[in-house]
Amino acid sequence: MAGILEAKPRVGYSYCRDQQLARYRRTLDGIKVKDVCSVPVVIDESDSVYDGIVMIFLENVGSLIVLSEGKLVGMVSRKDIIKASMAAVDVKTMPIGMIMTRMPNLHLAYPTDNIYNAAKRLIDCGIDSLPVVEKRQRDGQVVYEVIGRLTKTTITKLFVEVLEMSDVEA
Amino acid sequence: MAGILEAKPRVGYSYCRDQQLARYRRTLDGIKVKDVCSVPVVIDESDSVYDGIVMIFLENVGSLIVLSEGKLVGMVSRKDIIKASMAAVDVKTMPIGMIMTRMPNLHLAYPTDNIYNAAKRLIDCGIDSLPVVEKRQRDGQVVYEVIGRLTKTTITKLFVEVLEMSDVEA
């Protein structure tokens, strides 16, 4: 019944004119991070800051996920890049690993996280992007394999799509 | 009745168990840009790029609204700052007006815009932030006075708040 009575035998029909509300609620209830996250944009920690800048422009993203031997080791934001540029370092030779925010100081999202929790984490932590990871064991160590990214753009897109679905504009 | 029947005299009560749905829809219907936008973070076009960088860090924002004699003339994003840094210009002497995206090439939001329209504009135009403006006549010319900013952070916060209100987590 999804919380809304649609018909009452022997009493008559008592319907909800806007059944989209129920659909709206059901949709949001069911959305997981894995359903909406984007493809991760990754760089190796040995690549240069310059390579990172080029990638930020080519991929049109706000931050890069930094890997070492395929596992998550850090994140680099546009702010980190600006700081590095200001510090008069040679961006062509400095490895991006030198300016990244390093594990374990990263906030993460998991594929099965509720979208509400992930969005709240973005706001509470004051960040623009979360790497979406799966925890694995490799050689007896816990490693995080990156399978996506979840950003404020993801949430804004979802906000628009859900409003379109529930036809708020109509 | 907001699309949901709550009581039917002479037939008996036919209620919606989850009345939060109605509240949810009503809330989203009524939200205007002016209800949720943030305080604008502005800089004068004659200020230096360096001043802009300092302001981006101090105010913790993704972009700055550029004014000239109190009226909107442009926007500067973190990407514009990175480009300028790469171009080996002297950020301490170059005015921020040299690197901004200039009017009339800006996307704008108005205080009475529906929040859906503003969020859709952010996505469709691939931008992070909209200046919220009021159109005025000054000396026979149309000028835009900035009264706020609307960003993907604003929308993400709203998404979280609305979900909390409708208690999706419960």
Side-chain angles (χ1 to χ4, degrees):
Chain A
M1 298 287 272
I4 295 187
L5 292 176
E6 285 167 37
K8 269 190 142 179
R10 283 197 293 269
V11 177
Y13 285 91
S14 62
Y15 65 100
C16 289
R17 229 180 348 119
D18 196 347
Q19 295 187 2
Q20 285 175 322
L21 283 173
R23 207 171 63 181
Y24 198 176
R25 169 71 178 253
R26 276 200 301 276
T27 304
L28 288 173
D29 266 343
I31 292 175
K32 303 292 176 202
V33 164
K34 66 180 174 191
D35 301 326
V36 292
C37 69
S38 317
V39 173
V41 177
V42 302
I43 188 165
D44 193 89
E45 69 169 338
S46 62
D47 289 341
S48 72
V49 173
Y50 184 81
D51 292 335
I53 295 171
V54 170
M55 192 177 282
I56 278 182
F57 279 91
L58 286 181
E59 301 281 349
N60 194 26
V61 289
S63 55
L64 300 171
I65 295 167
V66 188
L67 304 181
S68 170
E69 295 171 4
K71 69 174 202 278
L72 175 66
V73 291
M75 292 275 286
V76 170
S77 70
R78 286 182 223 168
K79 279 194 175 177
D80 297 325
I81 301 271
I82 294 174
K83 271 189 216 159
S85 312
M86 290 300 98
V89 299
D90 183 354
V91 295
K92 292 212 173 177
T93 57
M94 176 169 280
I96 201 132
M98 293 288 286
I99 66 163
M100 70 186 180
T101 302
R102 204 170 274 281
M103 282 290 280
N105 302 321
L106 296 185
H107 301 282
L108 308 173
Y110 295 91
T112 54
D113 281 351
N114 184 296
I115 194 66
Y116 162 81
N117 288 328
K120 190 158 174 13
R121 204 166 306 142
L122 288 172
I123 295 301
D124 291 349
C125 304
I127 51 178
D128 289 331
S129 178
L130 290 166
V132 182
V133 298
E134 270 175 354
K135 222 172 178 173
R136 302 214 189 275
Q137 288 283 337
R138 197 193 294 172
D139 305 329
Q141 281 198 320
V142 172
V143 297
Y144 294 94
E145 192 182 302
V146 180
I147 61 161
R149 70 195 160 90
L150 189 116
T151 68
K152 287 177 182 165
T153 304
T154 319
I155 303 295
T156 305
K157 271 186 192 161
L158 183 60
F159 182 87
V160 169
E161 282 167 15
V162 170
L163 281 182
E164 279 171 355
M165 196 183 70
S166 71
D167 203 16
V168 162
E169 276 296 282
Chain B
M1 298 290 271
I4 296 187
L5 293 175
E6 284 167 40
K8 268 189 143 179
R10 282 197 294 267
V11 178
Y13 284 91
S14 61
Y15 66 98
C16 289
R17 226 175 358 114
D18 196 346
Q19 295 186 0
Q20 284 174 322
L21 283 173
R23 208 171 61 181
Y24 198 178
R25 169 71 179 254
R26 275 200 301 276
T27 304
L28 288 174
D29 266 344
I31 293 176
K32 303 293 177 201
V33 164
K34 65 180 174 190
D35 301 327
V36 291
C37 69
S38 316
V39 173
V41 177
V42 301
I43 189 166
D44 193 89
E45 70 169 337
S46 62
D47 289 341
S48 72
V49 172
Y50 183 82
D51 292 335
I53 294 170
V54 170
M55 192 177 283
I56 277 182
F57 280 91
L58 285 181
E59 301 282 349
N60 193 27
V61 289
S63 55
L64 300 171
I65 296 166
V66 188
L67 304 182
S68 172
E69 296 172 3
K71 67 176 203 276
L72 175 66
V73 292
M75 291 275 287
V76 170
S77 70
R78 286 184 222 167
K79 278 195 176 176
D80 296 325
I81 300 272
I82 293 173
K83 270 189 217 160
S85 311
M86 290 300 98
V89 299
D90 183 353
V91 295
K92 293 215 172 176
T93 57
M94 175 169 280
I96 201 133
M98 294 288 286
I99 67 164
M100 70 186 180
T101 302
R102 205 169 273 281
M103 282 289 282
N105 302 322
L106 296 185
H107 300 283
L108 308 173
Y110 295 91
T112 54
D113 282 352
N114 184 295
I115 195 65
Y116 162 81
N117 288 328
K120 191 159 174 10
R121 204 167 306 142
L122 287 172
I123 295 301
D124 291 349
C125 304
I127 50 178
D128 290 331
S129 177
L130 290 166
V132 182
V133 297
E134 269 176 355
K135 222 173 179 173
R136 301 215 189 275
Q137 288 283 336
R138 197 194 292 171
D139 305 329
Q141 281 198 324
V142 172
V143 297
Y144 294 94
E145 192 182 301
V146 179
I147 60 161
R149 70 195 162 90
L150 189 117
T151 68
K152 286 175 183 166
T153 305
T154 318
I155 302 296
T156 304
K157 271 186 192 163
L158 183 59
F159 182 86
V160 168
E161 281 167 17
V162 170
L163 281 182
E164 278 171 357
M165 196 183 68
S166 71
D167 203 16
V168 162
E169 276 295 283

